[in-house]
Structures are given as structure tokens and as C-alpha cells.
């Protein structure tokens, strides 16, 4: 006999379904109707931990670093904690090939700040990035910089950290970036100017506080501090916090079209940087999810498309990278398709593609990139001598980027027993090239596999 309970049956309930609500992440561009996000509460201390709040009035000079983040109000804060000599590490030329060593510049005792800055500009224009890193720290620690001259101090600090990275001294830069401490602290914000506050009140919204550190330095410091503190997720959290601030800027009423373009570009750049940071951490699943959530760039934005395609290749998703190319411009599509062929080990197809691109890009900016990739493909297909001739032709045309010298040094090791002599001769040939602000002059021995 069945139990009474077995005779009782519930009718299956039917729930009405609705489409999933549209959501936006902190790195998505907000709609005009989207309310401005609330930034996390910043530290209430007005100065970094252990720093004096004393300040000195001084007229600010124009920054030597080009940036659109000009502060419309007087900044009267004490930044002497960034002028301490113990922050900055001494730099050595021992790892630099003798052909590229230069005398380390030292400002004279009575040299003015403007003269020192002019010397620094000359070093940067000639590609002496290691010397520029040394000289910028020298200016910070020995020149008569006013302790509240935030434009000059942050510009010099950015040059110091960026040049250290460009010369392969990232770990030193990471340690020195820790001196900035918490960039989200209230110490680094100033109130907006009065007329902006009145305009904001008329539109029923709060005035935005201004961050006194230039955006490029904030982005760079976010990465370097994560390395310096040994916490990769700290860097990602910093990028998300910058993204929240960018979204708040975009949601602010009355923003000019030029400013909207800048903040949209910054927001898109932050999304790419987050994915790249996840890849560096080895979290490819999170990188794949984050990359899939990014908005596909328009067809006319070839550079942004290229960055996304390269990230998909780094996580091994060749098929998605190929599909993304359907929305790219024709100019970027050719180069990226050749890279996809290389990623799938189809080097013969890649050689044909690079040859076609080489013929159509003679004298153009991408010619050196195309020739080098063609040489690499020829190397993998067994055409060693032809690959060597192509790379040496680039050197003869005054190209000397790091991957070129490294690849050519590798070919010397494969094809000659006199590779050490050939590599040494290569350093002399490149040392005779004219200087350029687009390439590092102080080349380490590792670039030539010496």
C-alpha cells in the first residue's frame, strides 16, 4: 500500500524568466545615464606615513614631461620625502658593452636648475636613457628644487623610473617607486577650483578632486610598486582603482569632448594592462575572461586591435585572435595574420605573407619589423644565410633594436666558429650609428649575447 505522502504530488512551479540585466565592469566606458561610481574611501591622513606636512610657497614651473593633467590650483604640499638621496640606487656601467659607455654627467656645484634640465633633455634626445636615469636622480637630490614644486619633482621621478625600466633595471625602479607610498592617499588630492565647484553645483553634482601626480606616473607606479612589494594583485587592484576614477571622470557632466576622448583612451588602456598583468601572474583563465569582457575596438583603431590580438596569442587562443582580425583595418590585418601563421607553426605560409608585406611596405615605418619577422621565419625554415643577410641589412640601414641584435647574435653562433668576434664587431658597427631618442644607447652585453 502506498503511503499517504506518496499520493501527494506538487505541480512543478513555472517561473517567469527575463533577460539578464546589462552590467558594466569598472573598466567599461559608462553610458551617459550611468551614475558615477563611488570611489573607495581613501586614507584620511593628509600626508604619507611619517612625512612632515610643512609646505613652502613657490611659483610652479612648466613640467618637462608632457601631460594633460595640469592642476588648476596652487599645490602647497611638502614633497621633500622624494628628494632624499637614500631612495635612489647608484647605477653602474659594468654590464654595458665598452663601445657604448659614456662619461657619466655630473652637474657643477653652482649649476642652475634650468641648465640641469636642459642637459637632461639632451641626454633623452640622444637616447642615453641610463645616463638620464642617473642624472634625473642627481637633480632630485642635489639641485635647489623647491620642496613643493610637484611638477618638476614628479616629472624627474617619472623619467628616472621609466629610464630604469627601458634599460633593464626594473627591480631597482620597483624599489624606488615604493617611496611614493599610497598614491590613493588624500595627500595626493587637491580640491577643484572654485568656479568648477560652482558649475558642478549648478548641475547637481559634486566637484571632482584633482590628483596631483601625472597619470603616466600613476600607471607606471602601480606596476612597479606591485613588484617592489612582492604582491602582483596589488598592481591589478591599483589599475582597477584608476579605472574607477576614469569612469567617474567620464560620468561627470560638462566634460569637454577632448577630455572624454582622453579618459576613454585611458580606460581602454587600463583594461589591456589588467589582462597583461594577469598573464604575467600566470593566471591565464582570469586573463582570458578579462580579455573576453573588453570591448572590441572599432575598425579604425588598429593599434588597440593589435594589442588585443597579441594578448590572445599570449594566452594561446589563436582562434579568437583570428576572429578578432575580421574587425580590424587592412593595414594591421596583414601583419597580424602573418603572426598567426607563425603561432600555428605554418612558417612557409608566414614567409610568403612577410615577403608580400615587405614588397608593399618599402620605406614605411613597419618595414624593419616586417624584415626581421621574415628573417626569423627563414631561420625556422632552414634558410640560415638568407636570414643572416636580411638582419645585417637592417643593421646597415641604422636599425639596432634589442631583438634585432639578439637574433643576429644567435645566427652568428649557429653559422660560425668565430661568433664571438662577429658579435664584438657588431657592437662596433652599431656604436657608429647616429644617436636617436627612440632607442637606448647604453646597450648591455646581453643584447649581443656576449
Amino acid at each position: 500500500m502506498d503511503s499517504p505522502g506518496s499520493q501527494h504530488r506538487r505541480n512543478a512551479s513555472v517561473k517567469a524568466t527575463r533577460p539578464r540585466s546589462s552590467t558594466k565592469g569598472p573598466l567599461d566606458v559608462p553610458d551617459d545615464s550611468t551614475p558615477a561610481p563611488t570611489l573607495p574611501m581613501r586614507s584620511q591622513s593628509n600626508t604619507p606615513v611619517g612625512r612632515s606636512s610643512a609646505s613652502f610657497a613657490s611659483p610652479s614651473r612648466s613640467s618637462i614631461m608632457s601631460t594633460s593633467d595640469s592642476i588648476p590650483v596652487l599645490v602647497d604640499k611638502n614633497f621633500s620625502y622624494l628628494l632624499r638621496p637614500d631612495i635612489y640606487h647608484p647605477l653602474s656601467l659594468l654590464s654595458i658593452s665598452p663601445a657604448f659607455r659614456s662619461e657619466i654627467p655630473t652637474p657643477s656645484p653652482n649649476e642652475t636648475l634650468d641648465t640641469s634640465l636642459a642637459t637632461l633633455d639632451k641626454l633623452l634626445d640622444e637616447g642615453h636613457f641610463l645616463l638620464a636615469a642617473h642624472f634625473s636622480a642627481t637633480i632630485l637630490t642635489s639641485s635647489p628644487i623647491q620642496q613643493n614644486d610637484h611638477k618638476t619633482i614628479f616629472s624627474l621621478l617619472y623619467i628616472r623610473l621609466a629610464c630604469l625600466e627601458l634599460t633593464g633595471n626594473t627591480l631597482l625602479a620597483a624599489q624606488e617607486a615604493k617611496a611614493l607610498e599610497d598614491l590613493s592617499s588624500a595627500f595626493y588630492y587637491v580640491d577643484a577650483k572654485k568656479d568648477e565647484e560652482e558649475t558642478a553645483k549648478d548641475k547637481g553634482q559634486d566637484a571632482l578632486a584633482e590628483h596631483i601626480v601625472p597619470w603616466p606616473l600613476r600607471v607606471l607606479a602601480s606596476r612597479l610598486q606591485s613588484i617592489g612589494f612582492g604582491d602582483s594583485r596589488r598592481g591589478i587592484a591599483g589599475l582597477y582603482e584608476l579605472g574607477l576614477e576614469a569612469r567617474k571622470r567620464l560620468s561627470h557632466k560638462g566634460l569637454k569632448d577632448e577630455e572624454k576622448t582622453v579618459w576613454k583612451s585611458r580606460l581602454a588602456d587600463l583594461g589591456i594592462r589588467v589582462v597583461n598583468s594577469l598573464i604575467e601572474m600566470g593566471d591565464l583563465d582570469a586573463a582570458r575572461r578579462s580579455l573576453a569582457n573588453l570591448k572590441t575596438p572599432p575598425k579604425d583603431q588598429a593599434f588597440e586591435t593589435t594589442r588585443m590580438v597579441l594578448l590572445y596569442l599570449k594566452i594561446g587562443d589563436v582562434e579568437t585572435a583570428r576572429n578578432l582580425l575580421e574587425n580590424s583595418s587592412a593595414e594591421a590585418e596583414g601583419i597580424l595574420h602573418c603572426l598567426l601563421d607563425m603561432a600555428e607553426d605554418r612558417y612557409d605560409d608566414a614567409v610568403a605573407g612577410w615577403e608580400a608585406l615587405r614588397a608593399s611596405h618599402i620605406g614605411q615605418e613597419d618595414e624593419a619589423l616586417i624584415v626581421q619577422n621574415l628573417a626569423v621565419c627563414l631561420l625556422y625554415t632552414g634558410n640560415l644565410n638568407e636570414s643572416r643577410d636580411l638582419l645585417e641589412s637592417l643593421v646597415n640601414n641604422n636599425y639596432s633594436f634589442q631583438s634585432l641584435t639578439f637574433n643576429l647574435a644567435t645566427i652568428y653562433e649557429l653559422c660560425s666558429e668565430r661568433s664571438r668576434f662577429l658579435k664584438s664587431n657588431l657592437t662596433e658597427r652599431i656604436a657608429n650609428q647616429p644617436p636617436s631618442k627612440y632607442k637606448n644607447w647604453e646597450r648591455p652585453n646581453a643584447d649581443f649575447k656576449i
Side-chain angles (χ1 to χ4, degrees):
M1 180 179 295
D2 295 335
S3 64
S6 64
Q7 297 177 3
H8 176 71
R9 300 181 182 274
R10 291 184 301 175
N11 294 327
S13 60
V14 178
K15 294 183 179 180
T17 60
R18 64 179 180 87
R20 181 178 179 270
S21 300
S22 176
T23 59
K24 282 185 175 291
L27 299 180
D28 293 320
V29 177
D31 298 327
D32 293 337
S33 59
T34 304
T38 302
L39 290 176
M41 182 66 68
R42 298 192 301 270
S43 171
Q44 296 302 311
S45 62
N46 290 325
T47 61
V49 179
R51 308 303 182 200
S52 170
S53 60
S55 58
F56 303 88
S58 171
S60 61
R61 61 180 301 278
S62 60
S63 173
I64 60 175
M65 181 180 65
S66 177
T67 177
S68 60
D69 303 292
S70 59
I71 306 299
V73 295
L74 177 65
V75 177
D76 196 16
K77 296 177 182 287
N78 183 6
F79 301 102
S80 60
Y81 61 93
L82 296 175
L83 306 179
R84 303 196 328 266
D86 59 286
I87 295 176
Y88 306 102
H89 297 76
L91 303 179
S92 173
L93 297 177
L94 293 178
S95 63
I96 305 301
S97 177
F100 298 98
R101 293 179 186 176
S102 304
E103 182 180 356
I104 298 178
T106 303
S108 60
N110 298 324
E111 187 171 288
T112 64
L113 178 59
D114 288 339
T115 302
S116 297
L117 293 176
T119 302
L120 179 61
D121 288 339
K122 183 179 180 181
L123 291 174
L124 293 172
D125 288 339
E126 295 178 353
H128 292 290
F129 298 145
L130 188 63
L131 300 184
H134 165 81
F135 200 71
S136 58
T138 302
I139 297 175
L140 283 169
T141 56
S142 62
S143 295
I145 299 179
Q146 296 293 332
Q147 294 176 339
N148 66 340
D149 188 356
H150 70 285
K151 290 186 177 181
T152 301
I153 292 174
F154 289 136
S155 295
L156 291 171
L157 182 58
Y158 176 80
I159 291 173
R160 167 73 178 188
L161 298 179
C163 286
L164 285 178
E165 269 216 303
L166 289 172
T167 54
N169 294 285
T170 302
L171 294 181
L172 293 182
Q175 293 300 319
E176 295 178 5
K178 293 163 64 176
L180 287 166
E181 299 188 12
D182 184 9
L183 284 174
S184 64
S185 167
F187 173 78
Y188 286 110
Y189 286 85
V190 294
D191 293 333
K193 57 184 178 180
K194 186 175 181 181
D195 56 346
E196 182 178 337
E197 292 178 353
E198 294 176 352
T199 302
K201 289 180 180 179
D202 293 339
K203 296 182 179 181
Q205 57 184 348
D206 296 331
L208 294 177
E210 299 284 349
H211 203 289
I212 58 180
V213 180
W215 184 266
L217 178 55
R218 296 173 67 187
V219 175
L220 178 61
S222 176
R223 165 180 161 78
L224 291 178
Q225 286 187 340
S226 69
I227 299 174
F229 288 107
D231 184 3
S232 300
R233 298 191 180 277
R234 176 191 179 104
I236 296 178
L239 293 175
Y240 270 101
E241 186 168 351
L242 291 173
L244 287 172
E245 181 174 336
R247 293 194 73 222
K248 187 172 183 178
R249 291 283 178 179
L250 286 169
S251 301
H252 199 68
K253 296 179 181 179
L255 197 65
K256 297 180 181 179
D257 292 339
E258 297 82 2
E259 293 175 316
K260 284 185 178 180
T261 301
V262 170
W263 286 107
K264 286 181 179 180
S265 175
R266 288 176 173 178
L267 200 54
D269 175 69
L270 291 173
I272 294 293
R273 290 179 183 273
V274 166
V275 175
N276 194 62
S277 297
L278 290 170
I279 293 175
E280 290 181 344
M281 290 172 54
D283 194 345
L284 299 185
D285 290 336
R288 185 178 291 105
R289 291 193 300 269
S290 298
L291 192 54
N293 289 332
L294 295 181
K295 183 179 179 181
T296 302
K299 286 187 176 182
D300 59 341
Q301 297 183 5
F303 177 71
E304 286 75 10
T305 301
T306 300
R307 296 178 74 185
M308 291 190 68
V309 170
L310 293 177
L311 287 175
Y312 273 117
L313 290 179
K314 291 180 74 173
I315 63 177
D317 195 344
V318 179
E319 185 62 30
T320 303
R322 191 178 296 278
N323 293 335
L324 183 60
L325 288 182
E326 296 178 359
N327 294 323
S328 67
S329 65
E331 181 179 358
E333 186 176 348
I335 294 177
L336 294 174
H337 270 302
C338 291
L339 291 177
L340 289 174
D341 290 337
M342 295 174 67
E344 294 177 327
D345 294 334
R346 293 188 286 108
Y347 290 104
D348 290 331
D349 294 340
V351 167
W354 290 122
E355 288 280 12
L357 286 174
R358 182 190 181 192
S360 61
H361 285 71
I362 296 177
Q364 298 185 20
E365 183 179 358
D366 294 334
E367 183 181 8
L369 170 68
I370 293 171
V371 171
Q372 181 185 226
N373 281 284
L374 172 59
V376 172
C377 286
L378 290 172
L379 174 62
Y380 278 100
T381 56
N383 297 288
L384 187 62
N385 292 331
E386 189 175 351
S387 176
R388 173 178 174 175
D389 292 340
L390 285 175
L391 294 180
E392 288 188 333
S393 70
L394 291 178
V395 175
N396 294 335
N397 289 325
N398 291 329
Y399 290 103
S400 60
F401 42 90
Q402 190 269 343
S403 57
L404 168 61
T405 59
F406 189 88
N407 288 334
L408 188 52
T410 300
I411 290 181
Y412 286 156
E413 292 175 345
L414 294 174
C415 69
S416 175
E417 296 180 353
R418 301 170 58 248
S419 62
R420 187 168 186 83
F421 170 78
L422 293 174
K423 289 186 288 187
S424 178
N425 183 58
L426 178 62
T427 64
E428 298 293 339
R429 291 166 59 190
I430 293 179
N432 291 325
Q433 294 181 357
S436 171
K437 62 181 178 181
Y438 299 110
K439 58 185 179 183
N440 177 34
W441 180 257
E442 282 76 33
R443 306 294 296 274
N445 290 322
D447 285 4
F448 303 91
K449 304 185 73 173
I450 296 177

